[in-house]
Amino acid sequence: MTIDDTIKKLPEALQHPVEQQWQSFLDAKIDQSLLPGEVTETLAKVWACSEFVMHTCVRFPELFSELVASGDLLKSYTEDDFKTSIVVELNQGDEEALSKQLRVFRRREMLRIVWRDIAGWAELTETTRDLSYMAEACIDFALSNLYQWQCHALGTPCNDEGVAQKLVVLGMGKLGAWELNVSSDIDLIFAYAEDGEVKDGPKELTNSEFFSRLGKKLIQSLDQQTADGFVFRVDMRLRPFGDGGPLVSSFSSFENYYLVHGRSWERYAMVKVRVVGGDYEQGDELLSMLKPFVYRRYLDFGAYESLRELKAMIKQEVKRKGMKNNVKLGGGGIREVEFIAQVFQLIRGGRDTDLQERRVLMVLDCLAGKNLLPEYVVNELKTAYVFLRNTEHRIQEHQDRQTHNLPDDEVGKTRLALGMGFEDWSSFLIKLNQHR
């Protein structure tokens, strides 16, 4: 079967854009006979469901050809695959080249990840894991280069004993849990182990000043929109004192903040935290320091009331903004499954370390195994969660845009139903509402 044949099998409302872009792709003199059968069979559906993929292939046909020829499009990756494929030689201090390389890397890997997801070659857990591995590779690679260049220009930050200090990058939320979605912000927190001064530099600087400059450069390298796009939108609001606090804090400042000022919602955020860049060994020490704040040694039934309050706030905001069609925050949405898992973690996680798990699906399995929830309830929650997350991905994969709302136009509804494997919108909606 040819690609032209597969295009004709698409719903009529989706055929014309794919036909048009396929012709443009052929004009680039790409030999379609070199495409593996799996690619030929899935191209029409993938392009119909994702303008992002379709336009990337047409605009950068050599990128698509390389992805196919290398075999990477058809294979599952490991974490090391991401970290080794991003490594390139960069001129000293060349932040512009770093910025471009990160964005080209992101374009290639997003094309691969989204294609595999829509084609059905990757389960949800592989897709979210790959997105998280990609983000971590970009963060750590960018930071490694920026740190070296800044040390060369400003000197090396050291503690009072003269030991060099490095930045620790903490990943929060879905990044921390290897659960990133297709068009997600990354929530980061920056820290360093000890105060001190920069040695062998042209002028006096404290470690705080050095790492604040470094943190700003890292954010810019990832977040800034350039001619090559962006890498990830960076959100730093989960740091101590939020937007009003310092961009980077020492470990002792961190510990003091959570001891004195830590709020309930910050405990929830810390359930998923992990080190995603910089000094991993020091970062693990920081997480050990923070664990007593997150997981209490007693059965913390006060977490019920705190979660009720947070849930009520979200529900009120959803109602105020008319977000009932939001698959993340609306009634029966993704966030509610996460709440169910987290309330057990926060109540019992201090005594039962098995519940100190970042991934929602793993936590639910643990609850079933310990008879804390009936097995049939866990199975329903897991099935609903996977369905909702896949729906979220299909919505975002259309234009690589951060949105969680169901489409309200007929073409959009047809596209989403196709991407989710349903014949029409009404069939999809029935199943969605059952899960919700």
Coordinates of all heavy atoms in Angstrom, one line a residue, residues 335-371:
R335 N -5.6 15.4 37.2 CA -5.2 15.8 38.5 C -5.9 15.0 39.6 O -5.3 14.8 40.7 CB -5.5 17.3 38.7 CG -5.1 18.0 40.0 CD -3.6 17.8 40.3 NE -2.7 18.2 39.2 CZ -2.3 19.4 39.0 NH1 -2.8 20.4 39.8 NH2 -1.5 19.7 38.1
E336 N -7.2 14.6 39.4 CA -7.9 13.9 40.5 C -7.2 12.5 40.7 O -7.2 12.0 41.9 CB -9.4 13.7 40.1 CG -10.0 15.1 40.0 CD -11.5 15.1 40.1 OE1 -12.1 13.9 40.2 OE2 -12.2 16.1 40.1
V337 N -6.8 11.8 39.7 CA -6.1 10.5 39.9 C -4.8 10.8 40.7 O -4.5 10.0 41.6 CB -5.8 9.9 38.5 CG1 -5.1 8.5 38.8 CG2 -7.0 9.7 37.7
E338 N -4.1 11.9 40.4 CA -2.9 12.2 41.1 C -3.2 12.5 42.5 O -2.4 12.1 43.4 CB -2.2 13.4 40.4 CG -1.7 13.1 39.0 CD -1.2 14.3 38.2 OE1 -1.6 15.4 38.6 OE2 -0.5 14.1 37.2
F339 N -4.2 13.2 42.8 CA -4.6 13.5 44.2 C -4.8 12.2 45.0 O -4.4 12.1 46.2 CB -5.9 14.3 44.3 CG -5.6 15.8 44.2 CD1 -6.6 16.6 43.8 CD2 -4.4 16.3 44.5 CE1 -6.4 18.0 43.7 CE2 -4.2 17.7 44.4 CZ -5.2 18.5 44.0
I340 N -5.5 11.2 44.4 CA -5.8 10.0 45.1 C -4.5 9.3 45.5 O -4.4 8.8 46.6 CB -6.7 9.1 44.2 CG1 -8.1 9.7 44.1 CG2 -6.8 7.6 44.8 CD1 -9.0 9.0 43.0
A341 N -3.6 9.2 44.6 CA -2.3 8.6 44.9 C -1.6 9.4 46.0 O -1.0 8.8 46.9 CB -1.5 8.5 43.6
Q342 N -1.5 10.7 45.9 CA -0.7 11.5 46.8 C -1.3 11.5 48.2 O -0.5 11.6 49.1 CB -0.6 13.0 46.2 CG 0.4 13.1 45.1 CD 0.5 14.5 44.6 OE1 -0.5 15.3 44.5 NE2 1.7 14.9 44.3
V343 N -2.6 11.5 48.4 CA -3.1 11.5 49.7 C -2.6 10.3 50.5 O -2.2 10.4 51.7 CB -4.6 11.6 49.7 CG1 -5.3 10.3 49.4 CG2 -5.1 12.1 51.1
F344 N -2.5 9.1 49.9 CA -2.0 7.9 50.6 C -0.5 8.1 50.8 O 0.0 7.7 51.9 CB -2.2 6.7 49.7 CG -3.6 6.2 49.8 CD1 -4.5 6.5 48.8 CD2 -4.0 5.3 50.8 CE1 -5.8 6.0 48.9 CE2 -5.3 4.8 50.9 CZ -6.2 5.2 49.9
Q345 N 0.2 8.7 49.9 CA 1.7 8.9 50.1 C 2.0 9.8 51.3 O 2.8 9.6 52.1 CB 2.3 9.5 48.8 CG 2.3 8.5 47.6 CD 3.0 9.2 46.4 OE1 2.4 10.0 45.7 NE2 4.3 8.9 46.2
L346 N 1.2 10.9 51.3 CA 1.5 11.9 52.4 C 1.0 11.4 53.7 O 1.6 11.7 54.8 CB 0.8 13.2 52.0 CG 1.4 13.9 50.8 CD1 0.5 15.1 50.4 CD2 2.8 14.4 51.1
I347 N 0.0 10.6 53.8 CA -0.5 10.1 55.1 C 0.4 9.0 55.6 O 0.8 8.9 56.8 CB -2.0 9.6 55.0 CG1 -2.9 10.7 54.8 CG2 -2.3 8.8 56.2 CD1 -4.3 10.3 54.4
R348 N 0.8 8.1 54.7 CA 1.5 6.8 55.1 C 2.9 6.7 54.7 O 3.6 5.8 55.1 CB 0.7 5.6 54.6 CG -0.7 5.5 55.1 CD -1.5 4.3 54.5 NE -2.8 4.2 55.0 CZ -3.1 3.5 56.1 NH1 -2.1 2.9 56.8 NH2 -4.3 3.4 56.6
G349 N 3.4 7.7 53.8 CA 4.7 7.5 53.3 C 5.9 7.6 54.3 O 6.9 7.1 54.0
G350 N 5.6 8.3 55.4 CA 6.7 8.4 56.4 C 7.0 7.0 57.0 O 8.2 6.7 57.3
R351 N 6.0 6.2 57.2 CA 6.1 4.9 57.8 C 6.4 3.8 56.8 O 7.1 2.8 57.1 CB 4.9 4.5 58.6 CG 4.8 5.3 60.0 CD 3.7 4.7 60.8 NE 3.7 5.3 62.1 CZ 2.9 4.8 63.1 NH1 2.1 3.8 62.9 NH2 2.9 5.4 64.3
D352 N 5.8 4.0 55.6 CA 5.9 2.9 54.6 C 6.7 3.5 53.4 O 6.2 4.2 52.6 CB 4.5 2.5 54.2 CG 4.6 1.3 53.2 OD1 5.6 1.0 52.7 OD2 3.5 0.6 53.1
T353 N 8.0 3.2 53.4 CA 8.8 3.8 52.3 C 8.5 3.4 50.9 O 8.9 4.0 50.0 CB 10.3 3.6 52.6 OG1 10.5 2.2 52.7 CG2 10.7 4.2 53.9
D354 N 7.8 2.3 50.8 CA 7.4 1.8 49.5 C 6.5 2.9 48.8 O 6.4 2.9 47.5 CB 6.6 0.5 49.6 CG 7.4 -0.7 49.9 OD1 8.7 -0.6 49.8 OD2 6.9 -1.7 50.3
L355 N 5.8 3.7 49.6 CA 5.0 4.7 49.0 C 5.7 6.0 48.6 O 5.1 6.9 48.1 CB 3.8 5.1 50.0 CG 2.8 4.0 50.2 CD1 1.9 4.3 51.3 CD2 2.0 3.8 48.9
Q356 N 7.0 6.0 48.9 CA 7.8 7.2 48.5 C 8.3 7.0 47.1 O 9.5 7.0 46.7 CB 9.0 7.3 49.5 CG 8.6 7.6 50.9 CD 9.8 7.7 51.8 OE1 11.0 7.9 51.4 NE2 9.5 7.7 53.1
E357 N 7.3 6.9 46.2 CA 7.5 6.6 44.8 C 7.0 7.8 44.0 O 6.0 8.4 44.3 CB 6.7 5.3 44.4 CG 6.5 5.1 42.9 CD 7.8 4.9 42.1 OE1 8.6 4.1 42.5 OE2 7.9 5.6 41.1
R358 N 7.7 8.2 43.0 CA 7.4 9.4 42.2 C 6.2 9.2 41.2 O 5.5 10.1 40.9 CB 8.6 10.0 41.5 CG 9.7 10.4 42.5 CD 10.9 10.9 41.7 NE 12.0 11.3 42.6 CZ 13.0 10.6 43.1 NH1 13.0 9.3 42.7 NH2 13.9 11.1 43.9
R359 N 6.2 8.0 40.6 CA 5.3 7.7 39.5 C 3.9 7.3 39.9 O 3.8 6.4 40.7 CB 5.9 6.7 38.5 CG 7.2 7.1 37.9 CD 8.1 6.0 37.4 NE 8.7 5.3 38.5 CZ 9.6 4.3 38.4 NH1 10.0 3.9 37.2 NH2 10.1 3.7 39.5
V360 N 2.9 8.0 39.4 CA 1.5 7.7 39.8 C 1.1 6.3 39.6 O 0.5 5.7 40.5 CB 0.6 8.6 39.0 CG1 -0.9 8.2 39.2 CG2 0.8 10.1 39.4
L361 N 1.4 5.7 38.4 CA 1.0 4.3 38.1 C 1.6 3.3 39.1 O 1.0 2.4 39.5 CB 1.3 4.0 36.7 CG 0.5 4.7 35.6 CD1 0.9 4.4 34.2 CD2 -1.0 4.4 35.8
M362 N 2.9 3.6 39.5 CA 3.6 2.7 40.4 C 3.0 2.8 41.8 O 2.9 1.9 42.5 CB 5.1 3.1 40.4 CG 5.8 2.9 39.1 SD 6.0 1.1 38.7 CE 7.3 0.7 39.8
V363 N 2.6 4.1 42.2 CA 2.0 4.3 43.5 C 0.6 3.5 43.5 O 0.3 2.8 44.5 CB 1.7 5.8 43.8 CG1 0.9 6.0 45.1 CG2 3.0 6.5 43.8
L364 N -0.2 3.6 42.5 CA -1.4 2.9 42.5 C -1.2 1.4 42.6 O -2.0 0.7 43.3 CB -2.2 3.2 41.2 CG -2.7 4.7 41.1 CD1 -3.3 5.0 39.7 CD2 -3.7 5.0 42.2
D365 N -0.3 0.8 41.9 CA 0.0 -0.6 42.0 C 0.4 -1.0 43.5 O 0.0 -2.0 44.0 CB 1.2 -1.0 41.1 CG 0.8 -1.2 39.6 OD1 -0.4 -1.4 39.4 OD2 1.6 -1.0 38.7
C366 N 1.2 -0.1 44.1 CA 1.6 -0.3 45.5 C 0.3 -0.3 46.4 O 0.2 -1.1 47.3 CB 2.5 0.8 45.9 SG 3.3 0.6 47.5
L367 N -0.6 0.6 46.2 CA -1.8 0.7 47.0 C -2.6 -0.6 46.8 O -3.2 -1.1 47.8 CB -2.7 1.9 46.6 CG -2.0 3.2 46.8 CD1 -2.9 4.4 46.3 CD2 -1.8 3.5 48.3
A368 N -2.7 -1.2 45.6 CA -3.4 -2.4 45.4 C -2.7 -3.6 46.2 O -3.3 -4.4 46.8 CB -3.6 -2.7 44.0
G369 N -1.4 -3.6 46.0 CA -0.6 -4.7 46.6 C -0.7 -4.7 48.1 O -0.6 -5.7 48.8
K370 N -0.9 -3.5 48.8 CA -1.0 -3.4 50.2 C -2.4 -3.4 50.7 O -2.7 -3.1 51.9 CB -0.3 -2.1 50.7 CG 1.2 -2.2 50.4 CD 1.9 -0.9 50.8 CE 3.4 -0.9 50.6 NZ 4.1 -1.9 51.5
N371 N -3.4 -3.6 49.8 CA -4.8 -3.6 50.1 C -5.3 -2.3 50.7 O -6.2 -2.3 51.5 CB -5.1 -4.8 51.1 CG -4.9 -6.1 50.4 OD1 -5.3 -6.4 49.3 ND2 -4.3 -7.0 51.2

